[in-house]
Amino acid sequence: MQTIDPTTGKRIKIYPEFSLSKIDGILNRAEKSFQSWRALSFKERALIMKKASDILRKGKDRYARLMAQEMGKPFVQGQGEIEKCAFVCDFYAEHAEYFLTPEPVRTEASKSFVTYEPLGIVLAVMPWNFPFWQVFRCAAPTLMAGNAVVLKHASNVCGCALAIEKIFKEAGFPPALFSNVFISSAEVKDVIEHTLIKAVSLTGSTGAGRSIASHAGGVLKKAVLELGGSDPYIILEDADLESAVETCVNSRLINGGQSCISAKRFIVVASVFKEFEERFIAKMQMQRMGPPLDEGVNLGPMARHDLRDQLQGQVRRSTKQGAKLLLGGAIPLGPGAFYPPTVLSNVRPGMAAYQEELFGPVAALIKVTDQQEAIHTANDTVFGLGAAVFTRNIKKGELIATQELQAGCCFVNDSVKSDPRLPFGGIKQSGYGRELAESGIREFVNVKTIYIK
């Protein structure tokens, strides 16, 4: 395995893959630590989790710089990601006991209740786009529930994986309770099938989700899948366009557009389409692209050259199919995996920009006649992770978000985001299961019924 700086194209470091015998040793040590960890009280676990939060905040600049080097995240965005990781650690340190407190149930028994017991070792297969947040989003609740975690991180962020492992070690978690395994995607199946692995959490592509779900299902192990998305943002005729454009552009370009829940399809009613389009292009033109460690840069390179080239292919196919290229769409000269803010208009069903997930700084503008067509177009996708609607009529927006939009996370007049206090996940080909909040910590526990006559 090797990490490549996407800003320069130069190799940072090579990491040897782990042998299956080495992985077996890691899992056996993790199992031993799990048995002692599960016996601790929530208060004892919380003290250690709080230390992890402190380490994150103290090392915020160092970790942000590491993300910039390995996958091109602008430095300020990396700092924000670390703060969010610290928040999720604090959140579960404070609330895990409440979420997992045994619940009495009145029956004919003298006593009956539901308790929540840890499962064991959970395999976390995580992506490169939020290399700290995706891991902590899974690890904080899973560890606080009393489980162990083994991480298979994306191969281009091995340095981040090691840094995370070190954080948990320095915080005082038992040896190997949180461990990395450096393996290829092809070897994940063997780890899933290991008898000590009890469940799997994946954040990744829909294709990876199918593979993980198949392998986990084959050995009857639970999986939580957070997969791709092509989030629609509906702009109704009564929307505050200035605010909507600001939110839409920020959502489209966060993390270089490389986010499952960033806005990707902008569905605008005809009466305000032209004004929205003009404002949107003007705002996109204002973004500063450059090396992620430079001050003022809000759009760094894409994480890898092959991903940049794949995105360019989607743009070219879309224009050949009739989409209008209004901004960007050309790979800049020079080193690095840079791709400029790009706007496609006249996007219609059947086009790549309509049907596929555009994982990069490319926006697809879609004109519709009215609210009914906007809702139909928003739901006309195989994905169902997030969606948003913009309108000054809050009651109407709430009704559309609650009853009409087909997605796991629906927002009104704001961009879709993950929050430790709210369940996070999707439907359709965006996956199943939930992370975060009470729902997330209950995914990897044995919901056990106790009945006493």
Side-chain angles (χ1 to χ4, degrees):
M1 292 182 173
Q2 60 181 351
T3 51
I4 304 291
D5 186 338
T7 302
T8 64
K10 295 180 180 179
R11 186 168 65 194
I12 301 171
K13 192 172 181 179
I14 295 176
Y15 298 85
E17 292 188 24
F18 289 8
S19 66
L20 290 178
S21 62
K22 182 174 183 177
I23 293 170
D24 185 67
I26 290 171
L27 293 177
N28 278 284
R29 290 193 295 275
E31 175 67 18
K32 184 177 179 180
S33 288
F34 159 66
Q35 296 299 338
S36 61
W37 178 251
R38 68 176 301 178
L40 296 181
S41 68
F42 282 105
K43 287 182 175 59
E44 290 172 312
R45 293 178 205 158
L47 288 173
I48 300 173
M49 187 62 74
K50 284 277 192 179
K51 289 180 182 178
S53 172
D54 292 340
I55 293 169
L56 281 161
R57 289 194 170 97
K58 289 177 182 177
K60 177 172 63 176
D61 290 356
R62 183 171 73 256
Y63 302 135
R65 191 170 294 108
L66 178 59
M67 285 186 277
Q69 292 169 342
E70 288 198 327
M71 52 72 59
K73 190 187 300 292
F75 183 70
V76 173
Q77 293 183 25
Q79 290 177 311
E81 179 169 336
I82 297 303
E83 285 287 352
K84 194 170 183 179
C85 292
F87 177 28
V88 79
C89 290
D90 289 339
F91 178 79
Y92 280 107
E94 294 167 8
H95 297 285
E97 183 173 12
Y98 172 75
F99 290 151
L100 299 179
T101 297
E103 298 176 359
V105 179
R106 184 175 296 177
T107 67
E108 293 78 16
S110 61
K111 184 179 184 180
S112 53
F113 60 97
V114 177
T115 187
Y116 302 94
E117 300 298 313
L119 295 178
I121 305 174
V122 176
L123 173 63
V125 182
M126 294 292 128
W128 48 262
N129 58 336
F130 291 90
F132 277 75
W133 167 243
Q134 307 280 20
V135 176
F136 278 90
R137 187 174 77 189
C138 168
T142 302
L143 292 170
M144 280 303 302
N147 296 299
V149 174
V150 169
L151 170 65
K152 186 273 184 242
H153 217 327
S155 60
N156 60 325
V157 289
C158 290
C160 292
L162 288 174
I164 295 168
E165 185 179 53
K166 187 177 180 181
I167 289 168
F168 284 116
K169 183 178 180 180
E170 291 183 355
F173 286 83
L177 191 76
F178 180 97
S179 299
N180 286 312
V181 290
F182 287 161
I183 57 174
S184 67
S185 297
E187 293 173 305
V188 171
K189 178 178 181 291
D190 294 326
V191 180
I192 292 174
E193 292 177 351
H194 196 287
T195 56
L196 291 178
I197 294 293
K198 304 305 179 185
V200 188
S201 178
L202 167 76
T203 297
S205 68
T206 299
R210 291 193 186 99
S211 177
I212 292 293
S214 176
H215 295 325
V219 287
L220 296 178
K221 296 181 181 181
K222 184 175 183 178
V224 169
L225 308 177
E226 194 269 280
L227 309 178
S230 187
D231 285 13
Y233 278 34
I234 295 175
I235 316 299
L236 297 179
E237 63 278 353
D238 63 345
D240 179 340
L241 290 187
E242 182 177 357
S243 175
V245 167
E246 176 82 16
T247 301
C248 288
V249 169
N250 289 341
S251 179
R252 175 63 290 209
L253 295 183
I254 189 171
N255 201 45
Q258 301 165 118
S259 171
C260 297
I261 53 168
S262 63
K264 298 187 176 80
R265 295 179 297 135
F266 301 91
I267 302 164
V268 189
V269 296
S271 60
V272 295
F273 182 86
K274 188 62 177 177
E275 183 180 356
F276 179 88
E277 182 182 73
E278 291 173 352
R279 287 173 176 261
F280 192 90
I281 293 171
K283 189 69 176 177
M284 290 282 274
Q285 289 174 322
M286 294 170 60
Q287 308 308 304
R288 183 182 171 195
M289 182 173 69
L293 291 173
D294 284 5
E295 188 175 351
V297 165
N298 49 23
L299 182 63
M302 292 186 64
R304 300 197 313 258
H305 286 75
D306 63 310
L307 297 171
R308 189 268 308 274
D309 296 343
Q310 177 181 317
L311 182 66
Q312 175 73 339
Q314 291 174 299
V315 170
R316 285 177 175 170
R317 282 190 285 121
S318 298
T319 55
K320 287 181 180 178
Q321 293 165 331
K324 294 181 180 178
L325 180 63
L326 302 182
L327 182 69
I331 294 175
L333 298 175
F338 290 95
Y339 198 81
T342 298
V343 179
L344 294 171
S345 192
N346 196 42
V347 175
R348 296 175 179 173
M351 295 180 180
Y354 186 99
Q355 306 293 147
E356 302 171 10
E357 179 178 22
L358 300 176
F359 213 65
V362 179
L365 306 188
I366 303 169
K367 184 193 293 187
V368 293
T369 55
D370 55 22
Q371 176 181 314
Q372 184 177 357
E373 186 183 357
I375 294 169
H376 171 78
T377 302
N379 293 331
D380 185 25
T381 175
V382 298
F383 299 106
L385 188 55
V389 57
F390 292 81
T391 173
R392 284 188 170 92
N393 187 330
I394 301 301
K395 288 186 178 180
K396 178 172 66 176
E398 181 180 348
L399 182 67
I400 292 171
T402 304
Q403 300 183 15
E404 302 288 349
L405 293 176
Q406 299 169 4
C409 307
C410 296
F411 283 51
V412 180
N413 294 332
D414 203 354
S415 56
V416 178
K417 56 182 73 75
S418 56
D419 184 318
R421 297 163 294 188
L422 296 168
F424 180 79
I427 59 173
K428 298 193 279 188
Q429 291 190 24
S430 290
Y432 50 74
R434 289 294 180 268
E435 295 181 287
L436 303 177
E438 182 177 21
S439 303
I441 199 171
R442 289 187 175 186
E443 287 285 2
F444 296 126
V445 294
N446 174 14
V447 183
K448 183 189 292 186
T449 294
I450 305 298
Y451 186 100
I452 302 170
K453 187 172 181 180

